[in-house]
Amino acid sequence: MKQVAFCFFNLSTEQDVFNWASKQTYIALGNMMSAAAEIGIDSCLIEGFNINEAEKYLSEKGFIDLNEFGSSYMVGFDYRNEERSLKKR
């Protein structure tokens, strides 16, 4: 019988769980961005933003409960202003 190796994560603190979950977010983001592209919507993944300011803004607007959730990435969706030209070779 073939043995399968499992990798166990140390998720003993809330910060460990948040860090792990943040990395898993890429799976959902990839699916969202691919689905958007299929229907002609462009997207852009954003990292490196001021998390504290973003969370403060989202909390003040009532979009996020900071006691339950946190931000790790942003993604922007929009329609293209101009059609992409074909590459000339």
Side-chain angles (χ1 to χ4, degrees):
M1 174 182 268
K2 184 178 179 183
Q3 291 186 351
V4 179
F6 291 97
C7 181
F8 295 99
F9 299 97
N10 179 14
L11 302 177
S12 57
T13 68
E14 286 189 33
Q15 188 63 49
D16 291 338
V17 173
F18 181 81
N19 292 339
W20 176 83
S22 292
K23 290 174 179 57
Q24 300 309 303
T25 303
Y26 272 113
I27 298 167
L29 287 171
N31 287 327
M32 286 190 323
M33 294 171 77
S34 294
E38 281 292 316
I39 59 174
I41 300 172
D42 292 330
S43 60
C44 179
L45 179 62
I46 303 166
E47 289 186 66
F49 57 93
N50 186 323
I51 291 176
N52 293 332
E53 288 296 316
E55 287 181 342
K56 178 182 171 192
Y57 175 82
L58 293 170
S59 178
E60 288 172 354
K61 297 293 182 182
F63 293 125
I64 188 173
D65 177 357
L66 296 177
N67 294 316
E68 295 290 325
F69 302 101
S71 299
S72 49
Y73 309 102
M74 289 189 199
V75 62
F77 294 94
D78 201 356
Y79 292 100
R80 179 179 310 229
N81 284 339
E82 299 174 8
E83 286 300 315
R84 204 170 10 176
S85 62
L86 296 175
K87 291 182 179 180
K88 297 178 184 176
R89 295 184 187 233

